[in-house]
Amino acid sequence: MWKDFKEFVFKGNVVDLAVAVVIGTAFSAIVTSLVENIITPLMGILMNGIDFSHLSHNVGEAEINYGRFIQSIIDFFIISGSIFLFIRLLMKFKREKREETVEQEREVNPQEELLREIRDLLKEQNQAN
């Protein structure tokens, strides 16, 4: 049983998942800070300080805080938009690096080019005979 557990834990996928969870947690703190401290105040300025979180409706003894729900939806769109822009920026850098690598691979070594020309000339001579 211990052997099976050890094999399960040390498989690449489980370790990768654990690392992803830790990094995701740290990234979540960064995104939350970005939204709460930078984006939300800027949105408040643009919307003349409108805050939906205080809106509510009483039904008998129950208080329905629909304003908090609206504010949560707005926060969701802000957070998802921020993450989208961040991932898009990362993908742009990754794409540029990949293009540089492809360009480097396409650069032909002069010796290889000379050898190719010699090979092609030899093929032509053999076909002519």
Side-chain angles (χ1 to χ4, degrees):
M1 186 155 154
W2 174 250
K3 182 180 175 186
D4 291 339
F5 178 73
K6 196 164 76 169
E7 286 178 16
F8 171 76
V9 169
F10 290 111
K11 281 186 180 178
N13 295 340
V14 174
V15 174
D16 292 344
L17 181 60
V19 170
V21 167
V22 171
I23 291 174
T25 302
F27 187 69
S28 173
I30 292 170
V31 171
T32 301
S33 177
L34 173 70
V35 169
E36 289 178 356
N37 300 316
I38 296 174
I39 296 174
T40 301
L42 291 174
M43 292 295 291
I45 292 170
L46 294 174
M47 297 174 64
N48 294 326
I50 296 174
D51 182 17
F52 296 104
S53 62
H54 67 280
L55 299 175
S56 64
H57 181 72
N58 291 328
V59 178
E61 296 288 322
E63 181 179 12
I64 300 172
N65 296 315
Y66 66 91
R68 290 184 186 171
F69 178 69
I70 294 171
Q71 192 66 43
S72 294
I73 291 172
I74 293 170
D75 290 346
F76 168 77
F77 284 116
I78 292 170
I79 290 170
S80 60
S82 301
I83 291 173
F84 171 75
L85 292 175
F86 181 74
I87 297 298
R88 190 169 181 197
L89 181 67
L90 286 177
M91 294 305 289
K92 181 180 178 183
F93 287 134
K94 189 175 182 180
R95 189 177 320 121
E96 288 175 0
K97 184 171 177 130
R98 188 179 327 128
E99 288 173 359
E100 289 175 6
T101 305
V102 169
E103 287 177 16
Q104 290 173 353
E105 290 173 356
R106 287 183 184 167
E107 292 179 6
V108 178
N109 184 347
Q111 290 177 345
E112 289 179 15
E113 185 63 30
L114 180 62
L115 289 171
R116 284 189 187 112
E117 289 175 10
I118 293 171
R119 180 196 63 200
D120 293 341
L121 288 172
L122 289 172
K123 280 184 182 179
E124 288 176 15
Q125 278 184 341
N126 285 337
Q127 289 175 356
N129 290 335

